[in-house]
Amino acid sequence: MGLAYMATEDEVRALTDELQITFPNVYDPDPYQKVAVAFDATGGVPRYVFLDKAGRIAHTIRGAPHDVNDISKVLLDLQQE
């Protein structure tokens, strides 16, 4: 899921249309970026935030992962919980 903040809803919609992004995206209109802060998603992109089954932040990857196996390992670990 994508999280858009620090942009207008129209800007976000235009970008997702232009890039043909098909995964769900959440728009955070709050000027204090409450959703982005809650998910530790401020301070640069990309940011990967993984939630556990209870919806808590279980792991984050800041920046682009160097290896797709980094993401696979996190997902496998979360599935085993």
Side-chain angles (χ1 to χ4, degrees), residues 2 13 21-22 26 33 42-43 45 49 52 56 61 69 81:
R13 187 173 292 115
I21 294 173
T22 58
V26 175
Q33 305 164 4
T42 60
V45 292
V49 179
D52 63 16
R56 296 177 302 242
I61 297 175
N69 292 320
E81 287 186 357

Side-chain angles (χ1 to χ4, degrees), residues 7 23 43:
F23 54 81

Side-chain angles (χ1 to χ4, degrees), residues 1-71:
M1 174 186 310
L3 170 62
Y5 64 99
M6 295 181 59
T8 67
E9 191 170 4
D10 289 339
E11 290 170 330
V12 172
R13 187 173 292 115
L15 184 62
T16 56
D17 288 348
E18 177 185 335
L19 298 177
Q20 299 178 0
I21 294 173
T22 58
F23 54 81
N25 281 273
V26 175
Y27 172 66
D28 183 2
D30 189 293
Y32 298 103
Q33 305 164 4
K34 288 180 185 174
V35 175
V37 169
F39 286 100
D40 189 29
T42 60
V45 292
R47 175 85 42 97
Y48 295 82
V49 179
F50 300 88
L51 306 179
D52 63 16
K53 291 176 183 175
R56 296 177 302 242
I57 297 174
H59 189 78
T60 61
I61 297 175
R62 296 173 190 263
H66 299 288
D67 186 346
V68 71
N69 292 320
D70 294 343
I71 293 174

